[in-house]
Amino acid sequence: MEGNSLIWLTLGLPILGFLFQGLCGRFLDKTVAGKKLVGLLAVAPVAIAFLIGVMVTKSLNPSKAVVVSSIPWIELKGLSVPFELRIDTLSMTMVLIITGIGALIHLYATGYMSEEKDFARFFAYLNLFIAAMLILVLGNNLLMLFIGWEGVGLCSYLLIGFWYEDIANAKAANKAFIVNRIGDWGLTLGLLLIATLVATSPAMQGETRLFSYDVIFQHLPKILALNPAMGTVAALLLFVGACGKSAQFPLYLWLPDAMAGPTPVSALIHAATMVTSGVVLMNRMSMLFETSPVASAVVCAVGAFTALFAAIIAIGQTDIKKVLAYSTVSQLGFMFVACGAGAYWVGMFHVTTHAFFKALLFLGSGAVIHAMSHEQDMRNYGKLAKYLPITFGTMMVGYLAISGVPGLSGFYSKEEVIGSALAGDLALTGALEVGKWSGWICLIVAALTAMYMTRMMWLTFFGNTEQWRKLEPHHGEDDGHHHLNADHKPHEVPVSMWVPLVVLAFLSAVGGFYLAQGDRFEHWIMASQIGAKVPPPTHPEGIPLMALSIGAAALGILAGLAVYFKGLPAKEGWDESLWAKFRLRARDQFGYDRLMVNSVTTDSAAFSAAANSGFDHGVIEGIGEGAGNLTKSLGGIFNSVQTGLVRMYASVMLIGVVALVLYVIVSFGGVK
């Protein structure tokens, strides 16, 4: 196997890993040595897939997409859907993120999950998750996109609910599954609409590969030029799907609850796999969105609102993983703003840098949680820097990167997002320049991000008090976890867990700078987007963008230090009666989550009960019972003449004959 055919190994290795873990792992993970073997055979397929991905990427001509076909898959009259992969700069960028970051997360998980009894089952799900995401980004047709899309949805359900015996985890998994089904409804309709537009075009006569990207992209711009309204509808339907997978308002509410899963799962979902699906979809279908200013304006507006809404909610959270979860939702909003503004490559740039620092921050939070006996509330932390020097040092890099400090990866991509939104003119609704407004909102969110991340870091690693020393001894029932007490001494994580932190810290520090030099990343991504419109500039004229970006980061950090430099303020402690009302509402998501959950559970159950008692019992059963009673009455009438007496039957026949004769006479004029 040579050249581009190696890409099959990139996809096949995680699948082999999944099969091994599923079929053999449970027989091996009963001992420490067996767990080490299972862990090795879970990490190795993903790591080797990454190395192969590097080889394929190095041999790729950026300006030429390559389609690698295998055996026929679906063959019908007039329709052929081969099992084919697409190698281009977009797909290979995602392959390197998925397998590279994924391998580090797998390695971390061998330490984090070492005491887990279902060790092999966890890694089977994790390998399958990687494989499903690779199908999504590598597939060259709409059906493979759909299979990968649904595959990551299934795997997220399995991983979020990994500890399924805990009812909270089971509910979180169900919530993720159900909310994503709403988004998938939009995606499915959007894909079917695109397929219909393409298949019914006269230009496609004689073509059988109607679902393949290389065929669709060749004709879609001309088809949409003749029918722009349908293009807008298809774009908005796809965006509904993107909102589901990438947790945008109003479908964001599954992602924070997904924190119920193990921390490596959170890192994988948030940094390298599932939540990036929507941004990848928009990049892949960018020519569709570029034809519709209305759809682009909707994408910008939703992205900007989500970024702001989630950042405000993050300020009210006390769970360290929840802070990072809302941070992800907010940063995804940045990515959608860039795509809506027409700078699709900028969206992917922020996907890449975000993968570095968000994976780092999640794995770092897992190290803190591991050191603190699974305690996740930051109000019980404080002064951990001296106990966890590696975790602290690496997380500090991630914190500065996401805050937009110059020189680190987040600064470059975030600045490009804000700049492209301020300069772009694609997202328009009438005279309203939605893109520009979104850019200013993102600048505000950048300051908020720096502030709540400062809060997280200072409450965890700094302050004047080791808060857990104040805890009362635990006397509750054992829930399988350890519990903090005043004598607890935090300890640094093992080497299998801190090595990924160091690697990710390095990428978070230099990755953005490297990709931004000479517009390297822009040239890379744009090379394969043949026929795409020229993206907007990322540095608008007349606006001191760099000064504004640095100012926003500095303002946020200083505001955070002003409040949290000494540690946990009394007005944000365990006595929540001292909390400001706005913070309490922010923690409660301003009632949105409760409203949505109640509307589809309690309220829908009440509606169903009312419909059951009113419409079902009153109308449906009434009609049924009425028809039965009518039939019964008629039957009674006819039954009364069924006596079995021959003379009675003869009399009835005589009456009938006489009636028939009279009818004939009257009808033919015999009686006048």
Side-chain angles (χ1 to χ4, degrees):
M1 185 177 291
E2 296 181 354
N4 293 322
S5 298
L6 287 173
I7 197 65
W8 290 107
L9 285 177
T10 303
L11 176 60
L13 284 168
I15 295 176
L16 285 176
F18 159 69
L19 293 174
F20 172 80
Q21 303 293 335
L23 297 175
C24 307
R26 62 193 179 98
F27 301 109
L28 299 173
D29 67 357
K30 308 302 179 188
T31 62
V32 174
K35 282 189 173 181
K36 288 183 178 179
L37 178 61
V38 168
L40 174 65
L41 295 177
V43 176
V46 185
I48 296 173
F50 170 72
L51 295 177
I52 295 174
V54 172
M55 293 171 59
V56 174
T57 303
K58 290 182 67 175
S59 64
L60 174 65
N61 179 353
S63 62
K64 184 178 179 181
V66 178
V67 177
V68 184
S69 298
S70 66
I71 58 174
W73 181 25
I74 298 175
E75 294 289 340
L76 299 173
K77 186 177 180 180
L79 176 64
S80 174
V81 186
F83 200 84
E84 55 189 354
L85 302 183
R86 182 181 183 87
I87 303 175
D88 62 11
T89 56
L90 175 61
S91 62
M92 293 314 299
T93 299
M94 285 306 302
V95 165
L96 296 182
I97 292 174
I98 295 164
T99 55
I101 304 294
L104 292 172
I105 294 172
H106 273 66
L107 175 60
Y108 177 96
T110 59
Y112 192 87
M113 302 296 286
S114 60
E115 296 179 3
E116 179 59 48
K117 63 179 181 180
D118 285 331
F119 193 74
R121 180 167 66 87
F122 176 78
F123 282 106
Y125 293 163
L126 223 54
N127 275 188
L128 184 61
F129 203 1
I130 295 289
M133 193 65 194
L134 288 173
I135 291 175
L136 192 157
V137 300
L138 279 171
N140 184 52
N141 55 59
L142 300 182
L143 286 186
M144 292 187 72
L145 167 70
F146 185 77
I147 289 175
W149 193 272
E150 294 301 318
V152 295
L154 170 65
C155 293
S156 67
Y157 168 76
L158 295 172
L159 284 166
I160 295 169
F162 178 72
W163 291 314
Y164 59 87
E165 294 177 349
D166 187 329
I167 188 64
N169 291 12
K171 285 183 175 180
N174 288 337
K175 190 174 183 180
F177 191 80
I178 292 169
V179 174
N180 271 281
R181 295 289 74 71
I182 299 172
D184 293 354
W185 163 83
L187 176 81
T188 306
L189 292 181
L191 295 180
L192 289 174
L193 182 54
I194 293 172
T196 303
L197 290 171
V198 173
T200 55
S201 171
M204 300 296 290
Q205 287 186 354
E207 178 60 64
T208 58
R209 294 173 60 241
L210 298 172
F211 293 161
S212 298
Y213 291 152
D214 51 317
V215 175
I216 293 174
F217 295 161
Q218 188 177 355
H219 298 280
L220 194 58
K222 295 179 182 177
I223 296 171
L224 295 177
L226 298 174
N227 202 345
M230 295 306 291
T232 297
V233 174
L236 290 175
L237 287 171
L238 292 186
F239 182 58
V240 173
C243 284
K245 279 290 183 288
S246 294
Q248 294 296 282
F249 188 88
L251 301 179
Y252 77 90
L253 66 169
W254 68 271
L255 192 57
D257 285 22
M259 297 302 97
T263 297
V265 173
S266 305
L268 198 59
I269 289 177
H270 286 247
T273 56
M274 189 160 163
V275 300
T276 61
S277 302
V279 186
V280 173
L281 174 68
M282 293 200 62
N283 267 267
R284 184 62 80 197
M285 296 293 177
S286 59
M287 65 174 61
L288 177 65
F289 286 88
E290 285 178 338
T291 63
S292 175
V294 174
S296 297
V298 171
V299 173
C300 256
V302 172
F305 177 77
T306 304
L308 180 61
F309 188 61
I312 294 172
I313 294 174
I315 295 172
Q317 304 303 309
T318 58
D319 184 316
I320 187 171
K321 286 179 67 178
K322 285 287 183 71
V323 174
L324 293 175
Y326 285 106
S327 167
T328 298
V329 176
S330 183
Q331 296 302 307
L332 287 165
F334 274 77
M335 299 168 200
F336 279 98
V337 166
C339 293
Y344 295 92
W345 75 269
V346 175
M348 284 305 302
F349 188 20
H350 202 49
V351 165
T352 306
T353 60
H354 181 263
F356 299 153
F357 57 71
K358 188 50 64 71
L360 168 61
L361 289 169
F362 261 114
L363 296 186
S365 74
V368 171
I369 294 167
H370 183 272
M372 297 299 287
S373 298
H374 297 276
E375 175 58 55
Q376 296 184 196
D377 198 312
M378 296 183 298
R379 291 174 292 184
N380 285 328
Y381 295 167
K383 300 183 71 173
L384 287 178
K386 67 179 181 181
Y387 297 104
L388 314 173
I390 300 175
T391 301
F392 161 67
T394 53
M395 281 191 75
M396 181 60 77
V397 175
Y399 150 66
L400 295 175
I402 194 175
S403 298
V405 172
L408 300 177
S409 58
F411 169 75
Y412 296 98
S413 58
K414 201 177 289 187
E415 186 188 39
E416 305 278 27
V417 170
I418 297 170
S420 59
L422 293 175
D425 57 0
L426 176 63
L428 295 172
T429 52
L432 181 61
E433 297 178 308
V434 180
K436 287 183 170 55
W437 281 103
S438 300
W440 291 117
I441 291 174
C442 284
L443 191 63
I444 297 171
V445 176
L448 290 175
T449 303
M451 187 178 74
Y452 68 71
M453 290 304 298
T454 301
R455 171 176 175 264
M456 188 194 83
M457 288 297 291
W458 252 255
L459 291 186
T460 302
F461 293 107
F462 299 103
N464 295 329
T465 310
E466 296 175 348
Q467 294 289 337
W468 71 92
R469 304 290 183 199
K470 302 176 182 177
L471 292 176
E472 297 291 332
H474 178 74
H475 299 295
E477 296 181 0
D478 189 0
D479 59 3
H481 290 163
H482 303 292
H483 296 281
L484 279 179
N485 56 52
D487 299 327
H488 178 75
K489 184 176 182 179
H491 54 85
E492 189 58 275
V493 292
V495 63
S496 62
M497 293 174 67
W498 65 253
V499 166
L501 295 179
V502 173
V503 175
L504 288 168
F506 174 76
L507 293 172
S508 300
V510 304
F513 175 78
Y514 172 77
L515 295 174
Q517 294 311 298
D519 295 328
R520 183 180 280 125
F521 192 82
E522 179 182 3
H523 294 157
W524 168 256
I525 289 292
M526 292 300 296
S528 64
Q529 297 186 357
I530 307 298
K533 292 183 178 179
V534 177
T538 53
H539 290 80
E541 294 183 4
I543 298 178
L545 181 63
M546 180 174 290
L548 289 174
S549 298
I550 296 174
L555 180 64
I557 291 173
L558 291 175
L561 289 176
V563 180
Y564 304 104
F565 186 76
K566 294 183 179 179
L568 182 69
K571 64 180 182 180
E572 296 187 20
W574 288 100
D575 186 357
E576 296 182 0
S577 64
L578 301 176
W579 282 35
K581 289 183 179 179
F582 182 79
R583 284 180 53 79
L584 286 170
R585 290 177 183 140
R587 186 184 66 174
D588 193 37
Q589 303 177 50
F590 302 96
Y592 175 75
D593 183 271
R594 188 173 58 255
L595 175 65
M596 290 296 104
V597 172
N598 289 342
S599 64
V600 298
T601 55
T602 310
D603 294 344
S604 65
F607 175 78
S608 298
N612 180 54
S613 62
F615 185 74
D616 189 33
H617 291 311
V619 179
I620 301 299
E621 289 189 7
I623 293 174
E625 290 179 1
N629 292 334
L630 177 63
T631 304
K632 184 178 179 181
S633 300
L634 292 174
I637 294 172
F638 290 114
N639 183 54
S640 64
V641 299
Q642 300 299 319
T643 60
L645 298 175
V646 176
R647 285 178 295 180
M648 173 64 76
Y649 295 155
S651 300
V652 173
M653 291 174 63
L654 178 61
I655 293 171
V657 170
V658 170
L660 181 61
V661 170
L662 289 174
Y663 172 76
V664 171
I665 291 172
V666 171
S667 299
F668 291 94
V671 176
K672 297 183 180 178

